[in-house]
Amino acid sequence: MKHKLTLVALMALLAMVACNPRPKVATYLDPNAPVEERVEDALARMTIEEKIAIIHAQSKFSSPGVRRLGIHELWCTDGPHGIRPDVFWDKWDQAGCTNDSCVAYPALTALAATWNREASALYGKSIGEEARYREKDVLLGPGVNIYRSPLNGRNFEYMGEDPYLAAQMVVPYVQEVQKNGVAACVKHYALNNQEAYRHHTEPVLDDRTLYEIYLPAFKAAVVEGGSWSIMGAYNYFEGQHACHNDRLLNQILKQEWGFDGAVISDWGGTHDTEEAIYNGLDLEFGTWTNGLTQGYANAYDSYYLAQPYLKKIREGEVGTEELDDKARRVLRLIFRTAMNANKPYGSLVSEAHIEAARQIGEEGVVLLKNDNHTLPIDLSTKPRIAVVGENAIKMMTVGGGSSSLKVAAEVSPLDGLRKAVGESGEVLYARGYVGDVNTQYNGVVAAQDLHDDRSEDELIAEAVALAKECDWVVMFGGLNKASHQDCENSDRFGLELPYAQNRLIEALAAVNDRVVYVNISGNAVAMPWVESVPAIVQGWYLGSEAGNSIANVLVGNVSPSGKLPFTFPVRLEDNAAHSVGEYGGKGKVHYAESILVGYRWHETKNIAPLFAFGHGLSYTTFEYTNASLSSKSIREGGRVWAEVTVTNSGDRDGAEVVQLYVGDNEASVLRPVKELKGFQKVWLRAGESKRVKIEVPYEALCFFDDKAHAWRAEKGAFTISLGSASDDIRATLPLRLR
Ligand code: BGC
């Protein structure tokens, strides 16, 4: 009886299933359907109003999805050094959440200084996991604007002066971030090379300079990195704002490079509906950035790509073809990120992330000078160490503009050094100078009071007295994240160190033979006292683990291996933009130095730098022997391999960055004496040798012929240089292009 009933129930169930097959999930909601099919399916279901809605912001950092259809919102976050704390819906102030503290990773200048693609991958993976955990869909970074002048307040957010280095370093960052289902948003495309008048300036440059210097890192991020979004810059280019610029966005980015992602405006970078419709912008953010002066309720509706666009469509002034293209791109971004059901879960402030921050920081520190083996500090002698300077104690993760963070923890250089020295010595502190005592940004407050009313003389006297009785003096100076230092929306006033630091450094050097100056900055600074200070270190902004990373280098737990990603000129006038070009102006700014940016200028014009591009010492030494090329000649489209044996000839382990530069000896057009076209970081135990092999493809010999609008090289003799820095070439090899 019982069995009979069960059989009847089963048959009834089968009959039901046969009559009512399970409804098919709509394609756009099917996480396993191809993204393009999801996009087309969603688009076909949306009204014009819904399409308009998804192409502009609904709050400071989000755009709406389509609630009716279950299409999710898109949440953006700064970027590029950590995940910004959540802000209020309509205000820049942090919202006061307690679950949004992050790990701050080293600033991108420091990452570039590692010259290590794997470090960049680790950075992208770690920050991508934090973004994912915080449920952000678009990470506003990395930044790859070229370092043209040391006055640019935002250089610390970029990857230096060389297009090849920046291009190589940006790709792994983008790829690893996006493995988390989080889009990278490479910024600021393009030519945002100064902060002064950033909404009003218009760089004027030839196509060759554009293609050779200012575009390659963006191109690599898009073409090789596969970046899902890109941020338009504030400045103008060829008469149009970069955020809606036919040349940059339609012709170059979308047509030449085949970009299928979304162009996002910089916050407040949109200025015209018509241009925004036709000139390549896809997603508008941040218009009226001052807290929405047009009124809270309707402000977002008044965006250029909101009601004004809809009105034009309704009145038949414009069609919907462009709207569909924008909506498609935004939907693609949503399906790749917010509605990507296959993405991992991410993690926040994990041990691995803290470790990554420390390790990248250690690798980025650059030892600029080390006379008499002043470094590392020898702890076997139980030294007394005088630490001097505001930057030894100032929390640097707060401030500087949109990259400001709220960190779970930040180790100051003083604390890092105290920990590294432990019982093996004594670390004493004197302030030395007072710089910027502000400790808050947008409501995030670093828990420290930096106020100090003592006079310059008193501060110097105290530091000098301490320096006299110590075995080592480590001064942490440089810039900070205040306005007109390393800070968004303003530029520096000059190359000099602020806050009378030169006076302090000279006074310290006069009383102690072992002065170590650690420069905390994202920019080059003048060092008029360079001859009297035996050891100089470039310490960057290293984020949460700053103090531990620097201390590990100073006491020798780690041998430094960073190399400068930009030139330190002796004087500002030695920099090309300030010598023959223009910088910092409001309207047209002529880039008269053309392709001779950074070391390209110094090398070609024979102007000795203070510290050269690619320079960076180690606690050990490296020898280069048996350099060779796989062939003495190359043909169009071909490639050769350069090889060299690098030997760690010192008595401790270390890493060296082998740099490969190309020079065209017989060019009919202007060519820099040498240009970076390859590099490889190599780890060597004391006494160990390795053969390093670097590819030289035909493209490495090319220049951009703007008349032909093509890359090409002229036949004849080239020189391949292998070295430890742009000004420390260890082997030159002739190569002929046939
Ligand atoms: C900056 C961007 C940033 C955005 C959002 C702008 O002012 O230029 O880099 O991502 O604000 O904070």
Side-chain angles (χ1 to χ4, degrees):
M1 183 65 183
K2 199 176 165 201
H3 279 125
K4 239 186 195 170
L5 264 182
T6 317
L7 197 66
V8 170
L10 190 67
M11 283 170 67
L13 190 71
L14 282 174
M16 251 172 69
V17 171
C19 304
N20 297 312
R22 223 172 122 209
K24 192 175 167 292
V25 179
T27 308
Y28 77 97
L29 291 173
D30 180 354
N32 297 316
V35 167
E36 290 315 300
E37 283 175 28
R38 297 178 77 185
V39 168
E40 291 310 319
D41 185 44
L43 195 72
R45 295 167 193 261
M46 287 164 64
T47 64
I48 288 186
E49 289 74 11
E50 286 167 342
K51 291 177 189 171
I52 290 282
I54 65 164
I55 64 165
H56 65 272
Q58 62 168 357
S59 76
K60 276 270 173 270
F61 283 101
S62 72
S63 63
V66 186
R67 290 184 186 173
R68 179 179 69 88
L69 296 173
I71 294 175
H72 280 210
E73 298 173 337
L74 198 64
W75 279 87
C76 304
T77 177
D78 286 297
H81 305 143
I83 308 307
R84 184 175 177 152
D86 284 325
V87 303
F88 287 112
W89 193 257
D90 275 332
K91 286 189 197 144
W92 291 113
D93 295 319
Q94 70 141 337
C97 304
T98 52
N99 61 352
D100 57 352
S101 300
C102 68
V103 169
Y105 298 92
L108 292 192
T109 32
L111 174 63
T114 67
W115 292 58
N116 180 0
R117 298 166 183 94
E118 282 166 25
S120 181
L122 178 62
Y123 196 121
K125 177 180 189 297
S126 311
I127 196 172
E129 286 171 352
E130 300 230 333
R132 169 64 188 102
Y133 188 90
R134 292 267 317 278
E135 307 212 316
K136 305 301 178 194
D137 307 309
V138 181
L139 176 68
L140 304 175
V144 287
N145 293 97
I146 289 294
Y147 182 118
R148 178 171 176 255
S149 153
L151 302 194
N152 182 359
R154 277 189 107 169
N155 277 337
F156 72 102
E157 291 187 64
Y158 304 141
M159 297 196 185
E161 72 186 22
D162 183 75
Y164 179 82
L165 177 64
Q168 290 291 304
M169 295 300 285
V170 74
V171 171
Y173 182 123
V174 169
Q175 288 172 337
E176 290 297 322
V177 164
Q178 295 192 164
K179 283 184 187 162
N180 292 284
V182 173
C185 184
V186 185
K187 64 193 192 183
H188 307 90
Y189 181 72
L191 298 162
N192 189 169
N193 304 114
Q194 65 181 58
E195 286 299 291
Y197 307 112
R198 60 182 176 166
H199 297 272
H200 305 281
T201 179
E202 178 169 356
V204 180
L205 65 166
D206 52 59
D207 260 19
R208 183 168 172 211
T209 307
L210 181 67
Y211 275 77
E212 285 190 24
I213 304 293
Y214 295 99
L215 293 186
F218 288 104
K219 182 178 180 187
V222 166
V223 176
E224 291 166 56
S227 191
W228 291 333
S229 65
I230 194 166
M231 186 187 290
Y234 282 136
N235 48 279
Y236 286 87
F237 177 63
E238 295 184 349
Q240 294 169 345
H241 276 99
C243 284
H244 28 79
N245 190 291
D246 183 53
R247 180 88 199 286
L248 290 175
L249 301 177
N250 287 338
Q251 296 178 35
I252 298 176
L253 177 68
K254 292 182 177 174
Q255 284 161 30
E256 285 184 23
W257 302 346
F259 177 66
D260 72 353
V263 174
I264 301 179
S265 71
D266 198 346
W267 271 231
T270 313
H271 300 273
D272 185 88
T273 297
E274 192 110 341
E275 283 193 7
I277 294 173
Y278 292 113
N279 293 351
L281 179 64
D282 300 310
L283 186 44
E284 178 184 2
F285 267 97
T287 304
W288 304 310
T289 53
N290 60 356
L292 306 170
T293 49
Q294 299 295 306
Y296 174 92
N298 67 359
Y300 295 98
D301 287 345
S302 307
Y303 273 28
Y304 295 96
L305 286 184
Q307 293 300 323
Y309 190 3
L310 190 58
K311 187 161 174 277
K312 280 183 189 290
I313 292 176
R314 286 203 178 122
E315 290 173 359
E317 214 183 301
V318 302
T320 53
E321 193 189 325
E322 295 78 18
L323 177 63
D324 280 348
D325 181 52
K326 294 178 202 304
R328 255 190 203 101
R329 288 171 183 273
V330 172
L331 286 169
R332 200 174 283 137
L333 188 56
I334 292 173
F335 292 132
R336 282 168 165 169
T337 59
M339 291 179 75
N340 170 358
N342 299 316
K343 62 187 174 186
Y345 296 115
S347 49
L348 189 66
V349 196
S350 65
E351 286 289 311
H353 291 175
I354 296 167
E355 167 76 13
R358 187 187 47 70
Q359 192 188 317
I360 296 164
E362 287 167 359
E363 258 198 68
V365 170
V366 185
L367 180 60
L368 296 173
K369 181 178 176 187
N370 195 19
D371 286 358
N372 317 321
H373 300 286
T374 303
L375 285 174
I377 296 168
D378 183 358
L379 296 185
S380 70
T381 60
K382 285 249 169 188
R384 275 166 71 83
I385 304 164
V387 171
V388 177
E390 182 172 287
N391 284 350
I393 56 171
K394 187 170 171 59
M395 298 300 164
M396 289 293 190
T397 56
V398 177
S402 56
S403 62
S404 182
L405 296 169
K406 179 162 98 184
V407 288
E410 177 176 348
V411 181
S412 71
L414 179 60
D415 287 345
L417 202 55
R418 285 207 164 117
K419 190 170 136 223
V421 171
E423 300 297 303
S424 307
E426 203 183 344
V427 177
L428 303 139
Y429 178 68
R431 178 73 173 264
Y433 71 93
V434 175
D436 170 44
V437 297
N438 177 33
T439 51
Q440 77 86 35
Y441 188 84
N442 280 346
V444 176
V445 183
Q448 59 179 164
D449 183 1
L450 293 176
H451 289 93
D452 193 325
D453 292 333
R454 286 175 292 170
S455 70
E456 197 177 299
D457 285 349
E458 285 171 312
L459 289 160
I460 292 179
E462 182 198 42
V464 166
L466 182 65
K468 273 187 192 157
E469 50 179 69
C470 284
D471 305 302
W472 266 271
V473 178
V474 185
M475 159 140 175
F476 291 90
L479 310 179
N480 52 44
K481 301 281 189 72
S483 251
H484 299 291
Q485 303 291 322
D486 282 322
C487 184
E488 180 175 342
N489 209 10
S490 65
D491 281 339
R492 295 169 67 200
F493 295 121
L495 192 63
E496 291 68 37
L497 281 172
Y499 320 125
Q501 290 179 74
N502 286 343
R503 211 189 130 199
L504 170 64
I505 297 167
E506 274 158 12
L508 296 172
V511 298
N512 194 304
D513 290 341
R514 290 206 195 118
V515 174
V516 179
Y517 172 70
V518 183
N519 190 57
I520 305 294
S521 77
N523 262 314
V525 300
M527 299 184 183
W529 33 259
V530 65
E531 294 306 330
S532 37
V533 173
I536 303 174
V537 173
Q538 177 59 29
W540 314 112
Y541 299 108
L542 295 183
S544 291
E545 284 289 288
N548 289 336
S549 299
I550 295 181
N552 279 339
V553 172
L554 294 178
V555 304
N557 295 339
V558 169
S559 181
S561 65
K563 301 276 185 177
L564 286 180
F566 54 79
T567 309
F568 274 58
V570 175
R571 313 166 308 159
L572 189 60
E573 309 85 87
D574 291 349
N575 166 283
H578 296 276
S579 173
V580 289
E582 295 172 345
Y583 181 83
K586 190 169 181 182
K588 288 192 178 355
V589 174
H590 292 91
Y591 287 20
E593 74 284 6
S594 71
I595 55 169
L596 298 182
V597 173
Y599 69 94
R600 288 169 166 78
W601 169 259
H602 285 264
E603 291 270 333
T604 308
K605 299 290 174 183
N606 239 322
I607 300 168
L610 178 62
F611 297 110
F613 173 80
H615 171 73
L617 305 172
S618 165
Y619 293 152
T620 185
T621 47
F622 300 100
E623 268 169 26
Y624 288 55
T625 49
N626 294 329
S628 66
L629 275 181
S630 58
S631 166
K632 285 193 163 43
S633 67
I634 183 171
R635 288 185 193 279
E636 186 177 334
R639 73 190 55 206
V640 295
W641 294 89
E643 285 190 40
V644 67
T645 299
V646 184
T647 303
N648 180 343
S649 46
D651 55 10
R652 50 174 302 158
D653 302 348
E656 167 70 325
V657 179
V658 180
Q659 303 165 35
L660 184 147
Y661 295 86
V662 172
D664 183 343
N665 308 344
E666 303 171 348
S668 71
V669 293
L670 171 72
R671 306 271 333 234
V673 167
K674 57 170 95 86
E675 297 184 272
L676 184 76
K677 294 294 173 183
F679 63 86
Q680 191 57 52
K681 192 160 190 168
V682 51
W683 278 259
L684 294 162
R685 301 211 167 278
E688 192 185 4
S689 294
K690 275 186 191 160
R691 193 92 179 132
V692 175
K693 195 171 171 184
I694 301 176
E695 186 190 6
V696 186
Y698 164 74
E699 292 74 38
L701 311 185
C702 291
F703 67 98
F704 188 77
D705 180 345
D706 45 10
K707 286 186 199 74
H709 197 77
W711 291 90
R712 71 180 181 89
E714 294 173 315
K715 291 189 171 149
F718 286 79
T719 299
I720 306 298
S721 306
L722 290 163
S724 178
S726 63
D727 68 344
D728 183 8
I729 297 304
R730 307 292 182 85
T732 55
L733 302 160
L735 178 67
R736 177 156 288 277
L737 175 62
R738 293 193 188 282

